Amino acid sequence: MVLKLQNVTLYTGNGEKKVNTSIAIEGKTILAAGEEADRLQAGTVIDGTGKTVIPGLFDMHLHLGMDGVGDPFAQVAGDTPALSAYRHHVNAQKQLKSGVTSVRNLGSKWHIDLDYRNSIESGLMQGPSVYGSGQAIVMTGGHGYPFSTEADGEDGVRKAARETLKAGADVIKLMATGGVMTPGVDPGSPQLSENEMRAAVEEALHAGKTTAAHAQGTAGIRNAVRAGITTIEHGIFLDDETIELMIEHGTVLVPTLAAPYYIVQHAESGGIPAHAVKKAVDCFHVHRESFRKALSAGVKIAAGTDAGTPFNVHGDFAKELELMHEYGMNVKDIIVAATFQAAKALNVDQTVGTLEKGKAADFVILDEDPETDIRAFRQTHSVYKGGECVHESSNQLEPAIG
């Protein structure tokens, strides 16, 4: 049966906005959107006057095994595999209810994100589409080493990449620099070398998979870009030369603006390790300016939060979009970054990421238009995943009469 939602504002995800129009779905698929949908006859027609429809959102960087507590590394260290699996599910449900229908999980101990993905795909439980990296690959003692795979040298990293792909990873996560949360490492310091990362990139490409690099310092970012990494995570210290290199290579930036924001906001809470607070405070302003420079220069950007890091809780994807807007990105481009550009960076844009005929019926109904008020991303009325309504507010939409 065809379901048609009419009289809505529609953001397609590829930069277009249509007003007073329709979207029609049949089963798990979009049958039509825009003028073609306006003309379609449908078994059920719902009046969406005043509502805005956007594609299902992608959070391109999160950690389902972390809850956003002050010291998430300690939380991971104390978890059993079973408890971690339960965390993955609870946090994924929070994401889904907020309108995030696809997540890229970049680092889970024991590769639990891959098993969790499989449980959703098999129909065992409901959740967002999960694209997982399993355990990240780091140098010995590198950023995140307590819950990652340590490897050194081109041969060592290549073997680790192959083992991670064998486990079923959708994306290979590599640590190109130090980071904020790991004690004793400098966010600006390079870690895995260009050649080490290139070995992993080659293996991912052979398997038809993508790659992501945690890369905060300038030298490490350049190493990752030259190695052929698909996405740069964080990109805190970007200069003009590095930005030009990213544009030349078509590298996508996932800025995770919310991660340092929440650490700085809660610096006095006492729950965050002192070393992490100091590093986040030192990085905060330069991170914001790096994002602005990358945006102005035309770097491809996909939205990701790093949810699970201190006070950066699951289900608050809207904060990342609000920060992107505050730092200069317009609403249409924000929606593209959180939908089509994300799907393209994952090589799944042929089936998801935009509201087009034949694509999966993953979409979100908002109560307001975010171009009118950026806080509209928080006003989620309904979330559809594969044509099924998986979340709806108490104020349900009624079938149109006549």
Side-chain angles (χ1 to χ4, degrees), residues 117-128:
R117 173 203 62 199
N118 294 344
S119 73
I120 293 171
E121 291 181 350
S122 68
L124 181 63
M125 57 186 67
Q126 186 182 76

Side-chain angles (χ1 to χ4, degrees), residues 36-90:
E36 184 179 356
D38 292 338
R39 297 189 296 266
L40 270 179
Q41 298 296 312
T44 301
V45 179
I46 296 176
D47 182 13
T49 300
K51 305 298 182 187
T52 295
V53 180
I54 62 175
L57 299 167
F58 284 68
D59 190 332
M60 285 289 280
H61 187 135
L62 50 65
H63 301 276
L64 292 173
M66 299 178 181
D67 287 350
V69 296
D71 190 350
F73 279 24
Q75 180 186 70
V76 171
D79 276 355
T80 63
L83 184 54
S84 180
Y86 298 143
R87 272 192 219 287
H88 277 67
H89 182 60
V90 170

Side-chain angles (χ1 to χ4, degrees), residues 252-255 291 294-295 299-303 324 329 336-338 341-342:
V252 178
L253 174 66
V254 181
F291 172 78
L295 174 65
V299 171
K300 296 175 182 177
I301 295 172
M324 293 166 80
M329 200 170 193
V336 171
Q341 188 60 67

